[in-house]
Amino acid sequence: QVQLAESGGGLVQAGGSLRLSCAASGRTFTNYVMGWFRQTPGKEREFVAGISRSGGVTQYADSMKGRFTISRDNAKNTVYLQMNNLKPEDTAVYYCAARMAIAVVTTRNDYRYWGQGTQVTVSS
């Protein structure tokens, strides 16, 4: 199985930027579609962005389009989430996820492997 470890979270003012990283280990990284999800207390974990194994296909939740960018560096076994123009409603724990498949999907239950999460807090 693959192990995932997120980093890069923190406190930022509204309008600011953060870049999250997720380092993968344990199995061949290019076998996995990667995704980012986020969760706030009392709410379901929601899809943020996903990227295909080669990086050629990306998908975003509507509210993140134009502000967030997902990318991956297969040589470094790492996936990134660049977050710009952050808003207080982006405050959440952000999770990296992986699925051994071809298609990028938005459904949480289709991702088998998860990191521990990293907290992002956006102040107004």
Side-chain angles (χ1 to χ4, degrees), residues 5-80:
E6 303 94 338
S7 61
L11 174 64
V12 64
Q13 289 188 332
S17 299
L18 280 176
R19 188 176 82 155
L20 306 183
S21 300
C22 172
S25 61
R27 288 297 179 98
T28 304
F29 185 59
T30 50
N31 285 343
Y32 295 89
V33 167
M34 302 299 296
W36 285 98
F37 289 73
R38 69 185 186 184
Q39 189 170 21
T40 55
K43 291 190 176 181
E44 295 280 327
R45 192 170 296 186
E46 65 172 345
F47 174 78
V48 173
I51 190 165
S52 63
R53 297 182 302 181
S54 68
V57 176
T58 58
Q59 189 169 354
Y60 297 91
D62 287 343
S63 62
M64 288 76 166
K65 287 180 182 177
R67 299 191 300 125
F68 291 9
T69 302
I70 188 171
S71 62
R72 66 191 293 164
D73 186 336
N74 287 340
K76 295 183 178 179
N77 290 355
T78 302
V79 62
Y80 304 97

Side-chain angles (χ1 to χ4, degrees), residues 99-114:
R99 65 189 300 259
M100 185 180 283
I102 295 175
V104 178
V105 297
T106 64
T107 309
R108 176 191 61 197
N109 290 342
D110 286 325
Y111 288 81
R112 181 173 181 181
Y113 303 103
W114 294 85

Side-chain angles (χ1 to χ4, degrees), residues 83-105:
M83 305 185 294
N84 297 328
N85 190 23
L86 283 161
K87 305 175 181 181
E89 52 264 42
D90 294 318
T91 295
V93 178
Y94 284 72
Y95 296 90
C96 174
R99 65 189 300 259
M100 185 180 283
I102 295 175
V104 178
V105 297

